[in-house]
Coordinates of all heavy atoms in Angstrom, one line a residue:
G338 N -20.3 -2.4 -16.0 CA -19.5 -1.4 -15.6 C -19.3 -0.4 -16.8 O -18.2 -0.5 -17.5
T339 N -20.2 0.5 -17.1 CA -20.1 1.3 -18.2 C -19.9 2.8 -17.8 O -20.3 3.7 -18.7 CB -21.4 1.1 -19.0 OG1 -22.6 1.4 -18.1 CG2 -21.5 -0.3 -19.5
S340 N -19.4 3.0 -16.7 CA -19.2 4.5 -16.3 C -18.2 5.1 -17.4 O -17.3 4.4 -17.9 CB -18.5 4.5 -14.9 OG -18.1 5.8 -14.6
S341 N -18.4 6.4 -17.5 CA -17.5 7.1 -18.4 C -16.1 7.3 -17.8 O -15.2 7.8 -18.4 CB -18.1 8.5 -18.8 OG -18.3 9.3 -17.7
K342 N -16.1 7.2 -16.4 CA -14.9 7.4 -15.8 C -14.4 6.1 -15.2 O -14.9 5.5 -14.3 CB -15.0 8.4 -14.5 CG -15.3 9.8 -15.1 CD -15.4 10.7 -13.8 CE -15.8 12.1 -14.3 NZ -16.0 13.1 -13.2
K343 N -13.5 5.3 -16.0 CA -13.0 4.0 -15.6 C -11.6 3.7 -16.0 O -11.2 4.5 -17.0 CB -13.9 2.9 -16.0 CG -14.1 2.8 -17.6 CD -15.1 1.6 -17.9 CE -14.5 0.3 -17.6 NZ -15.5 -0.7 -18.2
T344 N -10.9 2.9 -15.5 CA -9.6 2.4 -15.9 C -9.7 1.3 -16.9 O -10.7 0.9 -17.2 CB -8.7 2.1 -14.6 OG1 -9.5 1.1 -13.9 CG2 -8.5 3.3 -13.7
A345 N -8.6 0.8 -17.3 CA -8.5 -0.1 -18.5 C -8.9 -1.6 -18.0 O -8.1 -2.6 -18.0 CB -7.1 -0.2 -19.0
V346 N -10.2 -1.7 -17.6 CA -10.8 -3.0 -17.1 C -12.0 -3.2 -17.9 O -12.9 -2.2 -17.9 CB -11.0 -3.0 -15.6 CG1 -11.8 -4.2 -15.2 CG2 -9.7 -3.0 -14.9
I347 N -12.4 -4.3 -18.5 CA -13.5 -4.7 -19.1 C -14.1 -6.0 -18.6 O -13.5 -7.0 -18.7 CB -13.5 -4.7 -20.6 CG1 -12.9 -3.4 -21.2 CG2 -14.9 -5.1 -21.3 CD1 -12.7 -3.6 -22.7
S348 N -15.2 -5.9 -17.8 CA -15.9 -7.2 -17.5 C -17.1 -7.4 -18.3 O -17.9 -6.5 -18.5 CB -16.3 -7.0 -16.0 OG -15.3 -7.1 -15.0
F349 N -17.2 -8.7 -18.9 CA -18.2 -8.9 -19.8 C -18.6 -10.4 -19.7 O -17.9 -11.3 -19.2 CB -17.8 -8.7 -21.2 CG -16.6 -9.4 -21.7 CD1 -17.0 -10.6 -22.4 CD2 -15.3 -9.2 -21.4 CE1 -16.0 -11.5 -22.9 CE2 -14.3 -9.9 -22.0 CZ -14.7 -11.1 -22.6
N350 N -19.9 -10.7 -20.3 CA -20.3 -12.0 -20.5 C -20.9 -12.1 -21.8 O -21.3 -11.0 -22.5 CB -21.4 -12.4 -19.5 CG -20.9 -12.7 -18.1 OD1 -19.8 -13.1 -18.0 ND2 -21.7 -12.6 -17.1
V351 N -21.0 -13.3 -22.4 CA -21.7 -13.4 -23.8 C -22.8 -14.3 -23.6 O -22.7 -15.5 -23.3 CB -20.7 -14.0 -24.7 CG1 -21.4 -14.1 -26.2 CG2 -19.5 -13.0 -24.8
A352 N -24.1 -13.8 -23.9 CA -25.3 -14.6 -23.8 C -25.4 -15.5 -22.5 O -25.1 -14.9 -21.4 CB -25.4 -15.4 -25.1
A353 N -25.7 -16.7 -22.6 CA -25.8 -17.5 -21.5 C -24.6 -18.4 -21.2 O -24.5 -19.3 -20.4 CB -27.0 -18.5 -21.6

Side-chain angles (χ1 to χ4, degrees):
T339 56
S340 172
S341 60
K342 296 181 179 179
K343 61 184 291 188
T344 57
V346 172
I347 304 177
S348 280
F349 67 92
N350 284 334
V351 184

